Amino acid sequence: MTSQRLRLGVNIDHVATIRNARGGRMPDPVRAAHLAEKAGADGITAHLREDRRHISDEDIERLSREIALPLNFEMAATQEMLDIALKARPHAACIVPEKREERTTEGGLDARGGHNHLKPIVQRLAENGSRVSLFVEADRAQLDAALSLGAPVVELHVGRYCDLVGDGDRAGAAAELKRLREAARHGAEIGLEVHAGHGIAFDTVGDIAAIPELVELNIGHFLVGEAIFIGLEAAIAEMRRLMDAARAKAA
Ligand code: PXP
């Protein structure tokens, strides 16, 4: 069964990357968030990295105060980020790996290996009212670990699939898509809400959006890049259209 309308979370990190290339205040990621809402986004995603390479603490404060859409706060599993999330109380908190030792072999969070470290963080975020998700590989063991950690949501790392499509490796992409489909099915079967993100572009969104168990896609870098050529609102609106078309076809 194909689930409800697929939500689009627009990641605005790279608006801040461009701002930080010069310093100063332009372009403003909060303005991008307002435009994303007008263009059909269902949520705004921002990753406050430990090195603050794009989004700043002030951006998170302003996004929490100024935008109407739900904020999905991407964070490393550190005490510093936990303290910020507890204060900001975002609608959602997505725990992502930032260091090599926190990753699985393919790049998602090692929910299984990091169980003891992650458990209290997931618990504190949930008690504070944020919907917790873990950014993991399409791997059953990682999904089972997310469930046992008490996270209601996982976000599947689709970066590898997108890279294979970009490389023209059709057999590799098909195999990876199958792995993603199986993981999404398994996640939904064990009661997780399943999202997907990383590296999605116009040429990859269709096959991903057609995976019936997915509830939300988070997309950033491609949209900000495309905004240079066609504008941010147009890029988001086109992504929204492609997502809806894929869902309608798969139904
Ligand atoms: N989802 C997660 C968990 C991410 O870490 C990122 C990248 O920050 C994205 C989605 C968005 O990826 P992209 O910018 O490649 O679209």
Side-chain angles (χ1 to χ4, degrees), residues 11 13-14 45 47 54 74 94 96 135 155 196-200 218-222:
N11 181 315
D13 291 351
H14 297 298
T45 295
H47 184 180
H54 37 59
E74 288 181 358
C94 179
V96 300
F135 183 49
E155 180 166 325
H198 209 283
I200 299 173
N218 282 298
I219 310 178
H221 183 265
F222 174 81

Side-chain angles (χ1 to χ4, degrees), residues 7-39:
R7 295 198 301 259
L8 171 59
V10 171
N11 181 315
I12 53 168
D13 291 351
H14 297 298
V15 177
T17 302
I18 298 169
R19 175 194 60 195
N20 295 1
R22 268 282 161 101
R25 309 195 75 82
M26 292 186 302
D28 179 11
V30 179
R31 183 173 171 204
H34 288 302
L35 274 180
E37 182 178 7
K38 262 175 60 188

Side-chain angles (χ1 to χ4, degrees), residues 40-195:
D42 301 290
I44 298 299
T45 295
H47 184 180
L48 183 66
R49 294 189 65 101
E50 290 178 85
D51 63 7
R52 308 302 199 268
R53 73 174 69 149
H54 37 59
I55 292 292
S56 68
D57 297 65
E58 189 194 344
D59 292 331
I60 294 297
E61 283 164 27
R62 288 184 56 217
L63 288 166
S64 307
R65 262 198 327 264
E66 296 176 27
I67 64 169
L69 289 178
L71 177 65
N72 176 30
F73 177 70
E74 288 181 358
M75 55 178 276
T78 63
Q79 187 61 48
E80 182 197 17
M81 290 301 149
L82 177 62
D83 291 342
I84 292 169
L86 293 176
K87 189 161 158 245
R89 283 180 170 261
H91 164 78
C94 179
I95 304 179
V96 300
E98 285 193 22
K99 299 195 176 74
R100 186 176 282 275
E101 62 269 22
E102 296 167 340
R103 295 170 195 223
T104 59
T105 42
E106 311 218 39
L109 187 72
D110 189 1
R112 202 164 167 224
H115 186 280
N116 294 347
H117 173 62
L118 292 168
K119 182 107 187 168
I121 297 177
V122 171
Q123 205 171 340
R124 291 285 310 281
L125 289 166
E127 284 165 1
N128 198 51
S130 294
R131 184 203 67 192
V132 183
S133 82
L134 304 182
F135 183 49
V136 294
E137 284 302 318
D139 176 86
R140 285 176 86 99
Q142 292 296 338
L143 302 183
D144 294 341
L147 184 72
S148 82
L149 281 165
V153 180
V154 286
E155 180 166 325
L156 298 180
H157 192 321
V158 296
R160 188 171 141 81
Y161 167 71
C162 296
D163 286 347
L164 289 163
V165 171
D167 294 345
D169 181 348
R170 293 172 70 158
E176 183 61 15
L177 188 61
K178 182 164 176 279
R179 202 168 79 96
L180 289 165
R181 281 205 199 99
E182 286 168 1
R185 191 176 317 129
H186 178 67
E189 273 168 12
I190 62 174
L192 294 168
E193 182 173 307
V194 187
H195 301 177

